[in-house]
Amino acid sequence: MKIDVISIFPEYLSGLKLSLIGKAVDQGLLDLNVHDLRDFTFDRHNTVDDSPYGGGAGMVMKAEPWALALEHVLGGNSAGGGPEGAQKPILIVPSPAGPVFNQHIAEDLSGAEHLVFACGRYEGIDQRVIDWSADHFDLRPMSIGDYVLNGGEVASMVMIEAVSRLIPGVIGNPESLTEESHEDGLLEYPIYTKPASWRDRDVPEILLSGNHGAIARWRRDRRLERTAEVRPDLLAELRGLDKHDRALLERFESGDESMTE
Ligand code: 6GU
């Protein structure tokens, strides 16, 4: 997968060189390039912003540097110029005004050939270049949650990490991708390691039993309980609950904790 990031703070993205994402880049699984928006300006001060038409607080990012940067990452791949039938690159514009990013979107994006992240700052980017970009890209404004950040850099890093770990080969043990929070709409079960007794707190006995069926059931029960407790909104979306699952949730809702242990 190819990922281009455009930002006025390219060094912000340097954290992506660390850990598993950096390794994926070294191994050639990920072709990650960060571009400085100011390289696409031609005035003495490398100006990327100006005051908003119609008035108001803050500054707006100018259209032309963005268009030049986006044309640069398109290379010969702009619509009409690229190979017949080739997918348009996906352009993600981080914005608190976009639909909220989630694991389903991460999975969808992990199958893409080319992702471009346009990190806005200030009050945002001139709308005309966003509209223009839709001719050349599959345009996706995207929020990472209901709060406001100062720019798209951190949001892009969040999305890049969530997407690239799903690319085959990026995570050494693909089994660690299953049974994690959100993988199938449930939060993950609690986990423990040695020692079996720590400061008078014992690991749940069933995990020491060697009974794999019972352990799997226990873990699913804990996932259901945890999800019901902290994210009831996720439970409402769940499909494929069996009789045992539904019985556990009913007991949980009625507050009968004794039957769930
Ligand atoms: Cl994607 N960008 C910014 N600037 N703020 C955000 C956000 C994105 N998602 C939530 N808040």
Side-chain angles (χ1 to χ4, degrees):
M1 176 188 286
K2 188 172 201 293
I3 299 181
D4 287 291
V5 185
I6 305 166
S7 165
I8 58 167
F9 296 122
E11 61 274 29
Y12 223 116
L13 284 296
S14 58
L16 292 173
K17 291 188 194 132
L18 305 170
S19 187
L20 285 175
I21 310 296
K23 220 162 121 191
V25 172
D26 293 340
Q27 291 173 340
L29 293 168
L30 204 58
D31 178 12
L32 175 67
N33 294 287
V34 183
H35 309 269
D36 188 342
L37 182 68
R38 292 193 200 276
D39 290 344
F40 302 91
T41 59
F42 298 97
D43 65 306
R44 220 154 43 90
H45 297 107
N46 301 116
T47 310
V48 292
D49 63 330
D50 208 332
S51 52
Y53 276 117
M59 298 291 270
V60 178
M61 293 191 110
K62 293 164 70 64
E64 187 61 11
W66 275 111
L68 294 173
L70 290 169
E71 281 168 343
H72 175 74
V73 302
L74 278 172
N77 199 15
S78 64
E84 199 65 48
Q87 290 174 1
K88 284 183 192 174
I90 296 174
L91 176 61
I92 296 166
V93 183
S95 160
V100 179
F101 182 75
N102 62 23
Q103 191 66 18
H104 292 296
I105 296 172
E107 277 158 20
D108 176 44
L109 294 177
S110 72
E113 274 173 37
H114 189 186
L115 302 181
V116 179
F117 290 84
C119 304
R121 284 261 148 185
Y122 315 117
E123 300 307 306
I125 303 172
D126 188 311
Q127 186 62 38
R128 292 169 296 179
V129 72
I130 307 285
D131 298 342
W132 164 88
S133 73
D135 292 345
H136 307 279
F137 295 89
D138 177 354
L139 175 64
R140 313 260 188 108
M142 199 71 72
S143 167
I144 61 160
D146 295 338
Y147 40 80
V148 179
L149 304 171
N150 287 333
E153 284 78 9
V154 170
S156 292
M157 290 173 76
V158 166
M159 292 185 268
I160 290 167
E161 181 159 326
V163 169
S164 42
R165 63 193 293 283
L166 300 175
I167 298 169
V170 171
I171 297 241
N173 177 7
E175 273 180 39
S176 56
L177 290 176
T178 63
E179 300 194 354
E180 60 188 2
S181 289
H182 299 296
E183 192 273 323
D184 57 2
L186 288 173
L187 303 184
E188 66 196 348
Y189 50 80
I191 54 171
Y192 306 87
T193 187
K194 289 180 272 296
S197 187
W198 174 80
R199 298 193 181 188
D200 288 334
R201 291 165 189 267
D202 294 340
V203 169
E205 216 171 291
I206 194 160
L207 299 178
L208 311 175
S209 71
N211 182 341
H212 299 297
I215 290 170
R217 185 65 249 177
W218 182 89
R219 285 178 165 167
R220 182 163 177 85
D221 289 351
R222 299 292 82 71
R223 299 182 73 201
L224 288 160
E225 270 178 14
R226 215 180 227 190
T227 309
E229 192 165 320
V230 295
R231 294 295 303 277
D233 58 308
L234 293 179
L235 270 193
E237 304 273 307
L238 268 189
R239 301 289 170 271
L241 292 180
D242 66 16
K243 241 171 67 185
H244 183 120
D245 293 339
R246 282 194 298 272
L248 177 108
L249 288 171
E250 270 167 40
R251 289 199 301 272
F252 182 81
E253 271 159 32
S254 67
D256 185 357
E257 310 258 328
S258 66
M259 296 182 73
T260 66
E261 285 300 320

